Amino acid sequence: MMIYRREMRYDLCTAYLCWLLGFVGLHGMHRFYCGQSCMGCLHLFTFGFLGIGWLIDGCIMRDIVMDANATHALLYPLVGHPVSSASVPGFPPPRQQPAYHTQQISQMPPAATDPHHHHHHHHD
């Protein structure tokens, strides 16, 4: 399972802390935190659906956070994990390309050490 190999993007404790802001009238912060800004706005402007949606979200917070993490893993599969293609199965390490480029460059005549060009500003 790819999702569980990665550090979780959204944390259940942080989500609950955001949810607790509903006590001071800031509803839907846990939804904003989980990247669900539309639901966050709905909660904010309806006072957590008059407290009912707020209580329900308190009960299903684990699912909300798990859904957010699954969505994030699908959208950003390698976030926080710069993977070189060598460690990805099915992709050979990229050795052919650099060798090809250096070969091409070395075949070009090096202009600096060309004996036919003695233009060192010695104009009599």
Side-chain angles (χ1 to χ4, degrees):
M1 285 262 180
M2 291 285 284
I3 294 168
Y4 303 107
R5 201 177 55 123
R6 178 185 295 99
E7 302 90 60
M8 285 304 181
R9 169 70 172 81
Y10 301 106
D11 174 59
L12 188 61
C13 292
T14 312
Y16 267 120
L17 287 172
C18 294
W19 176 79
L20 285 173
L21 288 169
F23 275 122
V24 294
L26 269 177
H27 285 278
M29 294 303 117
H30 59 289
R31 292 284 188 166
F32 283 113
Y33 166 67
C34 288
Q36 303 169 353
S37 43
C38 293
M39 280 300 284
C41 284
L42 282 172
H43 276 266
L44 188 61
F45 295 127
T46 61
F47 302 102
F49 295 100
L50 301 179
I52 298 164
W54 181 71
L55 286 171
I56 291 171
D57 274 11
C59 298
I60 63 167
M61 190 67 74
R62 186 180 293 276
D63 291 331
I64 294 170
V65 172
M66 279 174 65
D67 283 352
N69 277 318
T71 304
H72 189 268
L74 286 172
L75 292 175
Y76 308 100
L78 295 175
V79 166
H81 286 271
V83 175
S84 72
S85 59
S87 63
V88 178
F91 284 88
R95 289 211 182 85
Q96 276 70 32
Q97 279 302 98
Y100 168 78
H101 282 303
T102 50
Q103 203 177 3
Q104 287 292 97
I105 290 162
S106 63
Q107 281 171 3
M108 294 170 72
T113 56
D114 202 330
H116 301 295
H117 292 279
H118 281 298
H119 295 302
H120 290 297
H121 302 291
H122 290 300
H123 293 293
D124 296 54

